[in-house]
């Protein structure tokens, strides 16, 4: 790399020289870069892992992905109904439908998870 | 299999590039990640070993962009903060550069990059503009401001 030519760049050479002198101790590498082969292995490992994760998600059929997402949402709703009486006011009497709704969403969410899993089994056995 | 052409470029550019990334990030793990990603991107851009091409500018540009992206989400980045294993002995120039180190740590990341590329790497305004993705005329102005600020800080450190 070309050394900085202050006169050609139209800079104050004394100022430039002083800064270069001040920064010189910082420019000395404290640590050597990792060996090239290490770098390649690291990149290779990350590439393989990254691709595997991406491939795994892409391999999930769109319907399965939809069922899985809906299942997660339902389970969250069930979780909300489960904790609602706990986080509500202390004198909250409850309206009586939290438990049935929680059960309903939990069963639906679990069912969607199962459906997605069974779908996956059929998909991969094809 | 190791690509000999890429290894040659690595051997030539990596020491300076790594020192630059290490100083700008202050974090060895992040510096290694950025270095790796920089060379991965070079490889991904259809790299062919060509002796007539100067890869260093291109690599510095990739590294600068990667660091800019990472700095956005990483608050732990701090100029020159190095692990204990790093050479901090006076003979390694650590004490000699302590004023400059403090002054640089006080600068904005963009100004640090400018100063480093100009006065450590010795790049011309045109090269710096290319690496940082700004206009060459802007480099002159930004560098003048950064220089003035650094000298003021250095003056304060010394007094």
């Amino acid at each position: 790399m070309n050394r900085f030519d202050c006169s050609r760049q139209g800079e104050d050479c004394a100022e430039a020289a002083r800064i270069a002198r001040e920064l010189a101790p910082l420019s000395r590498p404290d640590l050597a870069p990792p060996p090239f082969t290490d770098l390649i292995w690291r990149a290779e490992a990350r590439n393989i892992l990254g691709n595997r994760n991406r491939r795994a998600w892409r391999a999930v059929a769109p319907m399965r992905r939809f069922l899985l997402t809906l299942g997660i949402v339902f389970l969250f709703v069930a979780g909300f109904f489960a904790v609602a009486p706990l986080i509500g006011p202390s004198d909250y009497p409850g309206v009586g439908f939290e438990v049935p709704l929680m059960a309903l969403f939990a069963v639906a969410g679990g069912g969607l998870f199962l459906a997605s899993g069974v779908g996956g089994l059929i998909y991969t056995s094809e | 299999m190791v690509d000999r052409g890429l290894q040659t470029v690595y051997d030539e550019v990596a020491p300076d590039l790594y020192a630059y990334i290490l100083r700008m990030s202050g974090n060895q793990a992040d510096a290694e990640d950025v270095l790796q990603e920089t060379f991965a991107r070079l490889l991904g851009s259809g790299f062919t070993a060509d002796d007539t091409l100067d890869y260093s500018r291109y690599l510095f540009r990739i590294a600068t962009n990667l660091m800019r992206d990472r700095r956005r989400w990483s608050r732990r980045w701090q100029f020159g903060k190095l692990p204990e294993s790093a050479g901090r002995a006076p003979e390694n120039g650590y004490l000699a550069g302590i004023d400059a180190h403090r002054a640089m740590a006080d600068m904005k990341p963009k100004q640090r990059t400018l100063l480093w590329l100009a006065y450590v790497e010795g790049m011309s305004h045109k090269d710096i503009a290319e690496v940082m993705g700004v206009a060459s005329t802007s480099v002159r102005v930004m560098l003048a401001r950064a220089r003035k600020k650094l000298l003021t800080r250095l003056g304060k450190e010394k007094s």
Side-chain angles (χ1 to χ4, degrees):
Chain A
M1 194 160 297
N2 300 327
R3 290 291 104 191
F4 189 74
D5 186 346
C6 56
S7 55
R8 259 184 61 195
Q9 304 299 324
E11 285 189 18
D12 179 344
C13 286
E15 216 174 66
R18 189 187 160 198
I19 291 179
R21 209 172 42 243
E22 293 281 359
L23 295 183
L26 301 183
S27 69
R28 284 174 215 162
D30 298 274
L31 296 165
F36 180 72
T37 41
D38 282 13
L39 206 79
I40 293 296
W41 283 116
R42 272 168 54 126
E44 193 62 30
R46 205 190 55 171
N47 200 25
I48 291 166
L49 291 174
N51 281 348
R52 189 173 292 160
N53 290 341
R54 274 198 296 276
R55 267 203 299 272
W57 182 243
R58 253 191 253 128
V60 178
M63 182 51 85
R64 276 188 65 210
R65 262 186 279 181
F66 173 70
L67 293 178
L68 207 60
T69 313
L70 204 64
I72 291 167
V73 171
F74 276 23
L75 287 176
F76 263 108
V77 175
F80 171 75
F81 281 118
V83 297
L86 302 175
I87 57 173
S90 55
D91 58 345
Y92 174 65
V95 283
F97 57 72
E98 294 94 344
V99 175
L101 271 179
M102 182 189 72
L104 185 73
F105 274 103
V107 169
L112 288 168
F113 253 98
L114 272 180
S116 170
V118 172
L121 286 177
I122 296 166
Y123 178 78
T124 45
S125 65
E126 274 173 359
Chain B
M1 196 168 72
V2 173
D3 188 326
R4 301 305 301 175
L6 186 66
Q7 179 153 14
T8 312
V9 175
Y10 184 81
D11 291 342
E12 280 171 12
V13 184
D16 282 349
L17 187 63
Y18 186 62
Y20 166 63
I21 301 168
L22 195 61
R23 280 293 184 205
M24 295 296 144
S25 67
N27 183 307
Q28 193 183 349
D30 282 341
E32 286 182 10
D33 273 356
V34 171
L35 186 73
Q36 174 199 306
E37 186 62 30
T38 303
F39 277 88
R41 295 225 176 155
L42 175 71
L43 210 54
S45 68
F47 169 82
T48 45
D50 187 343
D51 293 342
T52 60
L53 291 176
D54 177 15
Y55 291 104
S56 66
R57 230 174 346 175
Y58 182 58
L59 287 164
F60 268 86
R61 180 173 189 163
I62 299 173
T64 305
N65 288 338
L66 285 171
M67 284 194 285
R68 193 184 302 146
D69 291 346
R70 283 188 170 221
R71 208 180 292 124
R72 282 185 190 137
W73 54 259
S74 178
R75 281 161 190 250
R76 65 189 161 161
W77 280 30
Q78 203 180 326
F79 177 80
K81 193 170 161 268
L82 291 171
E84 288 306 314
S85 58
R88 290 191 166 200
E91 63 269 23
N92 288 350
Y94 182 74
L95 288 177
I98 208 148
D99 292 337
H101 177 275
R102 280 198 198 125
M104 280 287 268
D106 234 13
M107 310 279 289
K108 287 178 185 162
K110 203 172 187 176
Q111 291 179 321
R112 281 202 293 261
T113 308
L114 271 166
L115 291 165
W116 190 275
L117 295 177
Y119 302 109
V120 176
E121 290 305 321
M123 287 187 189
S124 67
H125 290 176
K126 191 170 156 268
D127 290 348
I128 297 171
E130 212 169 287
V131 168
M132 294 186 71
V134 293
S136 186
T137 44
S138 310
V139 170
R140 183 187 295 267
V141 179
M142 289 191 297
L143 197 56
R145 275 193 211 131
R147 214 168 41 229
K148 194 167 274 180
K149 192 171 167 185
L150 183 73
L151 287 173
T152 311
R153 298 276 151 99
L154 282 172
K156 276 184 195 159
E157 290 286 342
K158 293 261 157 85
S159 58

